[in-house]
Amino acid sequence: MDTPHSRTPASRRTVLTAAGAAVASLALGTSAASAMTRRRPLPDLLSQLTPAQRVGQRIVYSYPGLTPPDSLLSAISAGEAAGVIFFGENISDADQIASAVSRLKEANESSPVKAPLLLMTDQEGGQVRRLPGAPELSEKQVGEASDPEAAAQDAGTGAGRNLAGVGMNVNLSPVLDVYREPGDFADAHQRSYGTDPDEVGTLGGAFVTAQQDTGVAATAKHFPGLGAATAEENTDLGPVTLRQSLDELRDVDEAPYRAALDAHVKLVMLSWAVYPALDAAHPAGLSSKIIQQELRGRLGFTGVTITDALEAKALSSSYTTERRAVLAAGAGMDLLLCSARDVSQGRAAASGLTAALADGTLPGAPFDTAAKRVAALRAALT
């Protein structure tokens, strides 16, 4: 998710309120859930899902080529997938990807889990676009426009309409990284609005609001920020440690997220870099300190967290897919992005979660709380 060629709301207050109702819809279908809410307080109905369906609510799949494989369609039909991410290799033109999306939605119609799939891609603008068309300006070009806020709004509207036009409902954008030097990691592919955290926050918030007004959920990334990374520091390719002070992290890198949260951004993607000022032992996406204390506790985010690419080389090569999935879920990641264009990766992640739930490595209550957040997001989309 870090480079153009890598594997790459309801208000925040209402997300958790809606979550219980969304889970009821997941388990029973909307009409049955509505009838239950009239009779008694809404129960936790995740227990009515099979183990495979329960863990499937946390998995985003990917696939190779232009045609969704039968193995993915089967997982969706069985209610064992939360969503699908699309890459350039999955898209030849708008008609083709719209047809592929339709096939996925048809499979989902027969699923016992009654909720829209999360159908997502990286449509940032400029060099990082999986679909042809809007937004054509990169984030850097938006930041340099004569009226940057209007340009950000246009980009958000364009991205949302473009994705909605082919049936997608989630964009893994905007990037809120605040770059430091020209040509460094965030600037190299023009994926940052600029070096001023206030400006980045204003433009990111404008993008989020405009896009979500089209019905497509936005994702702020890569928390707590990759703006201090040099051109050679790419978490897709290897471990990255960013050694800003705690004050710099919070005043510069995290600052734009306040504007995104004020705009009710529905998802936040965590980075795979290590931030010793916050947690010297774990990458952000495997750090309960960063996810639970910094993002949720200090900043107050109550929406859905999503990993960057689960196969990223920033994570230890000794970690299997199963282990990565369990560590991420245990730290507080709601959605696991299995983006290696291989359905078996998603199956392996699900297998790891199933085993960890069975042996108690992953406690059931927080696991289901995360599933409820995902359920609320799915229920809010089409």
Side-chain angles (χ1 to χ4, degrees):
M1 183 85 54
D2 288 341
T3 63
H5 303 294
S6 67
R7 75 100 198 94
T8 192
S11 69
R12 298 198 309 277
R13 180 178 298 173
T14 63
V15 169
L16 290 182
T17 302
V23 171
S25 296
L26 284 175
L28 296 180
T30 302
S31 60
S34 298
M36 291 193 68
T37 61
R38 289 193 296 270
R39 291 198 302 270
R40 58 187 172 88
L42 194 66
D44 183 347
L45 296 175
L46 282 170
S47 62
Q48 297 190 15
L49 301 180
T50 68
Q53 290 166 348
R54 187 184 183 199
V55 302
Q57 308 317 305
R58 310 285 296 277
I59 306 294
V60 177
Y61 281 85
S62 62
Y63 63 93
L66 298 177
T67 304
D70 289 342
S71 57
L72 177 55
L73 298 175
S74 295
I76 293 169
S77 296
E80 298 171 5
V84 178
I85 181 172
F86 304 96
F87 293 93
E89 72 177 78
N90 305 127
I91 302 168
S92 61
D93 55 47
D95 288 342
Q96 172 272 326
I97 190 60
S99 177
V101 167
S102 292
R103 289 195 66 194
L104 296 169
K105 289 183 174 181
E106 287 171 7
N108 194 51
E109 287 176 4
S110 62
S111 167
V113 177
K114 302 304 181 186
L117 285 172
L118 300 174
L119 299 166
M120 62 187 67
T121 195
D122 302 279
Q123 195 73 4
E124 298 172 13
Q127 299 175 41
V128 186
R129 290 179 294 165
R130 311 308 185 197
L131 283 166
E136 296 185 357
L137 294 183
S138 68
E139 288 196 2
K140 184 171 186 176
Q141 289 171 320
V142 167
E144 293 174 342
S146 58
D147 186 344
E149 192 166 355
Q153 291 170 346
D154 288 345
T157 299
R161 289 176 177 172
N162 197 356
L163 269 60
V166 298
M168 297 185 198
N169 55 16
V170 178
N171 190 7
L172 298 176
S173 184
V175 175
L176 297 185
D177 297 336
V178 181
Y179 81 91
R180 303 307 202 268
E181 301 292 337
D184 68 13
F185 175 77
D187 183 56
H189 299 287
Q190 301 191 9
R191 301 177 72 205
S192 171
Y193 292 116
T195 59
D196 179 348
D198 291 336
E199 181 78 350
V200 172
T202 296
L203 301 183
F207 183 101
V208 167
T209 297
Q211 182 187 272
Q212 293 191 160
D213 281 347
T214 71
V216 174
T219 308
K221 63 186 187 185
H222 310 79
F223 188 84
L226 289 172
T230 67
E232 293 75 32
E233 292 179 311
N234 184 340
T235 58
D236 280 348
L237 305 180
V240 173
T241 298
L242 300 179
R243 300 187 182 278
Q244 311 93 299
S245 68
L246 182 60
D247 284 345
E248 183 179 351
L249 261 174
R250 288 177 170 172
D251 294 344
V252 178
D253 296 285
E254 293 184 18
Y257 287 86
R258 292 190 179 279
L261 268 61
D262 286 343
H264 312 306
V265 69
K266 292 182 182 289
L267 302 96
V268 170
M269 177 181 286
L270 278 287
S271 107
W272 286 136
V274 175
Y275 302 83
L278 291 170
D279 185 346
H282 304 96
L286 301 183
S287 169
S288 61
K289 291 180 181 178
I290 294 176
I291 301 164
Q292 305 289 15
Q293 297 178 26
E294 196 73 6
L295 178 59
R296 294 206 185 277
R298 194 178 78 86
L299 293 183
F301 181 61
T302 59
V304 171
T305 54
I306 183 169
T307 70
D308 205 335
L310 202 63
E311 68 276 9
K313 291 182 172 60
L315 303 183
S316 172
S317 60
S318 68
Y319 291 167
T320 62
T321 296
E322 291 87 344
R323 181 65 174 155
R324 293 172 185 226
V326 171
L327 290 173
M333 300 306 304
D334 297 330
L335 284 171
L336 309 180
L337 198 58
C338 299
S339 50
R341 288 77 140 182
D342 185 346
V343 174
S344 67
Q345 182 194 27
R347 292 288 198 189
S351 176
L353 296 184
T354 301
L357 280 169
D359 68 16
T361 301
L362 289 177
F367 189 95
D368 290 344
T369 297
K372 291 176 184 180
R373 285 190 289 264
V374 175
L377 174 64
R378 293 178 67 179
L381 300 174
T382 58

